[in-house]
Amino acid sequence: LPNGEWLVWSPSILLEDNGPSINAPANDIASATLEDGGGAAVILTNEKLKCANVPRTFVNEDTCVLSTLSTACKASELLSVDVEMSTENVKKF
């Protein structure tokens, strides 16, 4: 600093609780979830924001809901691609 003092940066991480139930009352645990997985936000921001939905797991089974909204995010389509198993292609991998 201009006055001769030194600053030392010490990296640390402060973990905060997060999730749909943080601000919701216990009887309405899924009230803060995105009904469409963020699909409307993707449209409104011209795809600057991305979908926020995830597959149902044991971790989120209490707040995971199925959406029937037309703006709901969808899983990406899997493409089928044939790759010739040649020595040259294996070396590229």
Side-chain angles (χ1 to χ4, degrees):
L1 297 176
N3 65 358
E5 292 180 330
W6 286 77
L7 298 176
V8 177
W9 180 70
S10 176
S12 61
I13 297 174
L14 175 62
L15 297 177
E16 299 282 345
D17 288 335
N18 192 9
S21 60
I22 295 305
N23 297 313
N27 62 346
D28 197 13
I29 197 166
S31 67
T33 58
L34 298 171
E35 290 183 83
D36 64 355
V42 173
I43 294 167
L44 289 173
T45 62
N46 199 24
E47 297 187 7
K48 290 182 181 175
L49 291 178
K50 302 300 179 192
C51 288
N53 57 348
V54 296
R56 180 178 286 216
T57 67
F58 71 94
V59 176
N60 67 5
E61 65 187 355
D62 292 336
T63 57
C64 188
V65 293
L66 177 65
S67 176
T68 57
L69 298 177
S70 62
T71 57
C73 293
K74 298 170 183 63
S76 299
E77 291 184 33
L78 298 176
L79 301 175
S80 177
V81 177
D82 293 328
V83 177
E84 180 186 349
M85 294 302 294
S86 65
T87 304
E88 182 180 330
N89 285 342
V90 172
K91 286 180 180 179
K92 289 178 184 179
F93 179 72

